[in-house]
Amino acid sequence: MVQRLQCCLRLSSLPTLHFHSFVPSSTKVQDQGFFYNTSRDFRSHPRPLTNILPIGKKQVGRMNVFTQQLNPITGKLEWGVQPEDYDYKQEVARSAYADMLHDQERNDKYYEGLRRAVAQLKAGGQEVRVLDIGTGTGLLSMMAVSCGADVVTACEAFHPMAECARKGLKQNGFEDKVKLVPKRSTELEVGPGKDLEQRANLLVAELLDTELIGEGAIDTYRHARDNLLTEDALLVPSEGTVYAQVVSSEMLQRWNRISPVKDHTNGSQQVLLDVPSVVARCHGAAAVHDLQLSQVPRHWLTPLSQPLPVFRFDWSGRKAEELPYDRTTRTTFLPLSSGQCDAVLMWWEVKMDQEGDVNLSCAPYWAHPDLAHKGWKGSSEEIPWRDHWMQAVYYLPQVRSVTHHTPVSLLSCHDEYSLWFNIQKDDSELVNTERPVCECGVHIVNSRTRLGQLNDPRRIEVYTRVLRSLVTPDSVILALGDGCLMAIMAAKLGARHVYLTEGSEANRRVAQQFIVTNDVQHKVTILPQDVSDTLLSQLVAPVTIAFSEPFFSTSLLPWHSLYCWYMRNSCIHLMDSSATRIPSSVTIWGLPVAYRDLWKIRSPLHQCNGFKMDIFDKLIESASEEADERVEPHPLWEYPTRAKSQPIQLLTLDLTTTIPEAPISKEGTMALTTEGLVNGMALWADWHLTDQDQDVITTGPISPVVLDQNVEWDTYSRQGVYLFRQPININKDLPSTLQYSITFQPLDGMLNFEFGIEVKGREEG
């Protein structure tokens, strides 16, 4: 059997987001029923935003539109033809519906909560009238009918999903038992002949996100209480509780604050790159850093508190104080040890019934109620996996030191959509409870991933060693990238002059702060990102070192930073004929793997709790085919990944040469001998700064790959993830061969991947 799976990754046709969806950093907006937090680190799901800059859109025919986008490698604006419903297709493909519906615990507990609520109303002699807000596939509405509800009304504002729900209800025989209204709940009308004939006495909804309230749950529930529900209505879920745990963690802080770079050679403590005071004292951004906390290594964290319940939300809102738009709570605790309060970990739990017997927890394994007897001796494999509800990290406005068993208080705050935290040492201390705002610019122009890279000791060691070996008093350096702080360090290492290219005014302001703080303003000049029109006479001398870290804010996949090659080729006229080019080459690697959980985000459902989901599967598959690329960026350190072979060197590009005109291709095969399922490929790039083996910045494994063991991935990169449409079972009795090919198209920055697995003795399928 040969299963042929192809991937054409067109870097110029990544997801488009049009002008109407852009908002300032740290702002949440609602569009077609989805909420986005633009200051979060971008993931390919469930939030459909990307930082690939779309430029515009225009109609070119009845059924198609042109979309103009910035190619992240070539840096050119390109037009592409897309179907007119491309925006919808994107949102469907990147929604968390499939991942959410693979969450069997969630489905079971919603079903049980509905069963109990319907039974309670029936026992009281009431007709059961259900309102399902944001029905999605219609699953919860069908559950309600199956539990005995008399009347069920479902609303869904996202039209593709409303149509999917309509077809799904029909397929399952519920077409005449559920009234589907394609509106937001805030648009529903109550009365004879209207959306709801009378107020509902049972509300079921899934309005929750990682922050619990980030999708507008407070306002939606309050509106429902005031306008759509009876006074004594039951709710599924009935209430939610937010838990917080204060920790000390140098590792987590690397995603929040930039630290000075020091020279530790020969016992030296010389500061090679200092941090501006405005950056050091900045409160940072209040935006949530959502993580799979169960994958955080234990040695990263020193708990300073037990998990603390800090907020309770009674979704019925019968008591005004239980569902306010904003509030601050104060929770006093005795620190478990002395140390620095670096961050607050957060998760939530909801009650699915009225009595609190059926609970759903999003806690990491060490705090999960089902593993209370194990604590830190438990593991992530013992609790349900979910990516639609993760856990969160909040960074405190200031690092606070606490003493073992000396009482301190955690101040917990929320508004309508967000949470934030602070530490109060004693009752008399005045602590600002306003939402933190970045004043230095660093937290605005840099993602969490980028901040981690800027603090990564492994990267800093390689950059420092390479620059120290190459920089001389005659060096003229051209730094190509965004936020290239290592180039500023090169000025302190003695370079004659450094030219920085920055793509935005915000980046230029941040760079200028570092330049002044390090007292190199006389030898560092900031240029625009496009230096193709810059004249050699504008420089002090021809460039002797063209340097890139490499990083660009438009880069999502590891090889997107090939943009440095294209930039370098546009400014050859500024370079000395013998100029050193850093990095000198890049290698694209691949690894056949078994993703423990990540495969669920693209795997078909077929059925949920006995209800057919084929219509939904087809919708997601169709939307993904039209709007998605087969390779997605994911931070694989958060997703356990077993290696099913040794890494495969797919392609190496020599970046010291000019960009070739003809495509570059490579293909090959590899025998797969490790038994078990292979459900995808992991892809990454190694950036060779020089021709020395130790001068490599990897975005892949940071320790040797061991067959059938979890891979240890670079924490500060996203790797490329390719998921097979069907997993392949490797059996030692039936020899299996991985076939692969990769082609680099220089003209438009296209990378074509093809992967296939041939299993001997089976028919082709």
Side-chain angles (χ1 to χ4, degrees):
M1 177 183 70
V2 176
Q3 185 178 22
R4 178 62 59 187
L5 302 156
Q6 297 188 7
C7 166
C8 288
L9 176 61
R10 182 178 291 278
L11 300 166
S12 57
S13 58
L14 288 164
T16 307
L17 179 68
H18 303 296
F19 280 131
H20 65 81
S21 296
F22 276 102
V23 292
S25 182
S26 301
T27 303
K28 289 185 180 179
V29 295
Q30 186 178 25
D31 181 33
Q32 294 297 338
F34 290 97
F35 278 87
Y36 312 118
N37 184 340
T38 59
S39 60
R40 288 178 175 174
D41 240 3
F42 293 110
R43 296 177 183 251
S44 61
H45 72 283
R47 294 165 293 278
L49 297 179
T50 74
N51 56 359
I52 299 300
L53 179 63
I55 305 301
K57 168 173 139 180
K58 67 180 181 179
Q59 196 79 19
V60 295
R62 221 179 134 197
M63 301 301 294
N64 294 289
V65 293
F66 274 144
T67 57
Q68 191 180 23
Q69 300 165 296
L70 181 66
N71 184 313
I73 285 188
T74 65
K76 296 178 180 179
L77 298 180
E78 297 177 350
W79 288 98
V81 179
Q82 306 291 353
E84 63 181 348
D85 60 353
Y86 183 67
D87 291 346
Y88 280 151
K89 294 287 188 182
Q90 277 194 313
E91 294 193 15
V92 171
R94 286 165 188 74
S95 70
Y97 286 116
D99 164 43
M100 184 169 60
L101 293 174
H102 274 293
D103 186 347
Q104 193 60 50
E105 183 194 38
R106 166 200 177 270
N107 300 339
D108 292 345
K109 290 190 173 180
Y110 262 100
Y111 213 162
E112 180 62 14
L114 280 166
R115 187 190 67 77
R116 293 186 178 213
V118 170
Q120 181 176 335
L121 292 172
K122 291 278 188 181
Q126 297 188 53
E127 178 188 51
V128 181
R129 302 182 301 277
V130 177
L131 172 61
D132 176 5
I133 294 180
T135 193
T137 62
L139 176 64
L140 300 183
S141 289
M142 292 188 287
M143 287 180 174
V145 173
S146 298
C147 289
D150 299 292
V151 178
V152 178
T153 303
C155 67
E156 175 57 60
F158 186 40
H159 295 297
M161 283 311 305
E163 180 64 14
C164 175
R166 184 187 66 77
K167 293 178 180 178
L169 291 170
K170 182 177 181 180
Q171 182 187 35
N172 284 279
F174 289 85
E175 184 179 26
D176 298 327
K177 300 173 184 178
V178 176
K179 181 180 180 180
L180 182 63
V181 182
K183 292 182 180 179
R184 291 183 174 88
S185 63
T186 52
E187 299 170 340
L188 295 179
E189 299 179 80
V190 180
K194 295 185 178 179
D195 302 316
L196 294 161
E197 291 288 331
Q198 51 186 313
R199 290 187 176 221
N201 58 4
L202 174 53
L203 172 63
V204 62
E206 203 283 74
L207 306 169
L208 315 176
D209 72 344
T210 292
E211 290 186 276
L212 186 65
I213 59 174
E215 290 188 3
I218 292 177
D219 187 59
T220 301
Y221 276 119
R222 285 173 65 121
H223 177 271
R225 174 199 66 190
D226 295 340
N227 300 279
L228 306 174
L229 304 179
T230 60
E231 199 167 308
D232 59 349
L234 303 183
L235 287 82
V236 179
S238 60
E239 66 177 63
T241 301
V242 171
Y243 289 87
Q245 185 172 23
V246 183
V247 298
S248 174
S249 176
E250 178 186 348
M251 283 295 295
L252 290 180
Q253 274 291 2
R254 290 180 186 172
W255 279 304
N256 183 49
R257 297 183 184 278
I258 298 178
S259 298
V261 176
K262 294 183 179 180
D263 181 4
H264 296 290
T265 58
N266 301 322
S268 171
Q269 287 298 312
Q270 176 189 2
V271 175
L272 299 179
L273 183 71
D274 209 350
V275 176
S277 58
V278 66
V279 175
R281 65 172 183 264
C282 180
H283 289 172
V288 59
H289 184 190
D290 45 358
L291 289 177
Q292 294 282 359
L293 280 182
S294 287
Q295 300 308 319
V296 169
R298 173 67 179 89
H299 66 271
W300 284 17
L301 304 174
T302 301
L304 298 180
S305 79
Q306 298 290 353
L308 307 169
V310 295
F311 292 123
R312 175 179 176 271
F313 294 91
D314 176 0
W315 300 125
S316 71
R318 294 189 183 99
K319 297 179 180 179
E321 65 271 16
E322 295 296 351
L323 202 59
Y325 283 120
D326 54 75
R327 62 178 152 170
T328 298
T329 64
R330 185 172 178 269
T331 309
T332 301
F333 66 95
L334 294 175
L336 301 176
S337 63
S338 298
Q340 287 192 159
C341 299
D342 289 309
V344 174
L345 313 182
M346 169 266 174
W347 60 88
W348 50 259
E349 180 178 295
V350 289
K351 294 181 178 180
M352 305 304 292
D353 63 337
Q354 315 310 307
E355 294 76 24
D357 295 329
V358 182
N359 298 313
L360 187 152
S361 175
C362 288
Y365 71 85
W366 68 83
H368 200 281
D370 292 348
L371 300 180
H373 60 295
K374 290 189 175 182
W376 288 98
K377 294 181 180 179
S379 75
S380 63
E381 297 181 58
E382 299 177 88
I383 59 174
W385 179 84
R386 47 181 64 101
D387 214 36
H388 52 104
W389 300 326
M390 289 186 281
Q391 299 82 38
V393 177
Y394 295 86
Y395 299 97
L396 297 167
Q398 296 175 326
V399 173
R400 307 297 303 274
S401 296
V402 296
T403 304
H404 188 214
H405 278 176
T406 301
V408 295
S409 296
L410 175 65
L411 301 182
S412 307
C413 312
H414 78 78
D415 56 20
E416 191 173 348
Y417 302 115
S418 304
L419 286 73
W420 61 95
F421 300 88
N422 211 335
I423 294 291
Q424 184 181 39
K425 290 288 192 73
D426 56 61
D427 295 352
S428 62
E429 184 183 26
L430 295 177
V431 177
N432 186 3
T433 58
E434 295 296 316
R435 192 171 190 268
V437 175
C438 174
E439 297 178 348
C440 70
V442 165
H443 304 90
I444 295 173
V445 301
N446 292 295
S447 67
R448 299 288 187 197
T449 298
R450 177 55 178 165
L451 288 173
Q453 292 177 4
L454 292 171
N455 287 306
D456 179 15
R458 182 172 54 86
R459 282 175 165 82
I460 291 172
E461 179 187 357
V462 175
Y463 289 135
T464 302
R465 180 178 62 250
V466 169
L467 288 172
R468 189 189 293 278
S469 68
L470 294 175
V471 170
T472 71
D474 295 324
S475 295
V476 177
I477 299 175
L478 178 61
L480 305 170
D482 291 334
C484 193
L485 298 184
M486 293 298 100
I488 298 175
M489 184 183 72
K492 293 192 71 172
L493 288 173
R496 177 182 176 184
H497 207 90
V498 174
Y499 293 93
L500 291 179
T501 61
E502 292 291 354
S504 72
E505 182 58 37
N507 270 316
R508 286 190 281 274
R509 287 195 297 268
V510 170
Q512 189 62 39
Q513 294 173 6
F514 278 86
I515 290 168
V516 172
T517 295
N518 287 277
D519 194 26
V520 290
Q521 55 269 39
H522 60 291
K523 56 194 312 185
V524 179
T525 302
I526 302 177
L527 300 174
Q529 190 172 57
D530 183 1
V531 292
S532 58
D533 293 331
T534 300
L535 301 177
L536 179 58
S537 60
Q538 295 175 262
L539 308 186
V540 297
V543 171
T544 60
I545 300 175
F547 173 74
S548 182
E549 291 198 21
F551 170 81
F552 297 91
S553 58
T554 52
S555 299
L556 292 179
L557 289 163
W559 46 86
H560 283 176
S561 291
L562 277 170
Y563 186 26
C564 70
W565 197 16
Y566 286 79
M567 288 186 69
R568 191 186 295 168
N569 275 261
S570 72
C571 56
I572 291 177
H573 63 289
L574 300 176
M575 298 167 58
D576 186 87
S577 59
S578 60
T580 301
R581 293 159 171 82
I582 306 172
S584 62
S585 65
V586 62
T587 300
I588 309 298
W589 292 86
L591 181 68
V593 297
Y595 294 110
R596 192 182 80 190
D597 301 301
L598 189 59
W599 61 271
K600 297 173 186 176
I601 65 172
R602 291 291 177 263
S603 179
L605 291 158
H606 301 303
Q607 65 85 30
C608 278
N609 294 73
F611 302 100
K612 297 176 183 177
M613 288 288 152
D614 301 313
I615 300 295
F616 171 74
D617 288 339
K618 290 177 181 177
L619 173 68
I620 294 294
E621 183 178 353
S622 172
S624 184
E625 285 289 339
E626 290 192 31
D628 265 346
E629 302 297 342
R630 290 302 306 277
V631 177
E632 303 179 358
H634 290 279
L636 286 183
W637 74 269
E638 295 184 56
Y639 304 99
T641 308
R642 286 186 179 271
K644 307 306 288 187
S645 81
Q646 285 298 314
I648 306 163
Q649 184 173 327
L650 298 176
L651 183 68
T652 295
L653 298 173
D654 183 356
L655 306 183
T656 65
T657 64
T658 58
I659 297 172
E661 295 183 1
I664 302 174
S665 299
K666 185 181 177 183
E667 61 183 31
T669 61
M670 170 178 279
L672 298 178
T673 59
T674 304
E675 291 194 313
L677 290 181
V678 176
N679 55 23
M681 297 289 298
L683 305 165
W684 68 92
D686 278 358
W687 299 91
H688 303 265
L689 302 191
T690 71
D691 59 3
Q692 300 298 307
D693 291 343
Q694 71 270 26
D695 296 339
V696 177
I697 299 296
T698 184
T699 62
I702 57 174
S703 62
V705 171
V706 180
L707 288 179
D708 216 28
Q709 298 297 312
N710 285 337
V711 180
E712 185 181 6
W713 296 101
D714 173 38
T715 310
Y716 307 110
S717 300
R718 288 182 177 80
Q719 291 72 37
V721 171
Y722 180 95
L723 296 173
F724 293 116
R725 299 199 186 282
Q726 295 292 333
I728 299 95
N729 191 31
I730 306 301
N731 188 320
K732 65 180 181 181
D733 296 327
L734 295 173
S736 301
T737 303
L738 174 72
Q739 302 171 342
Y740 60 87
S741 71
I742 178 173
T743 300
F744 172 63
Q745 298 282 1
L747 183 61
D748 59 3
M750 177 187 288
L751 284 178
N752 296 339
F753 295 91
E754 285 191 30
F755 300 108
I757 292 182
E758 180 178 328
V759 181
K760 185 177 180 180
R762 295 184 184 175
E763 294 182 3
E764 187 173 303

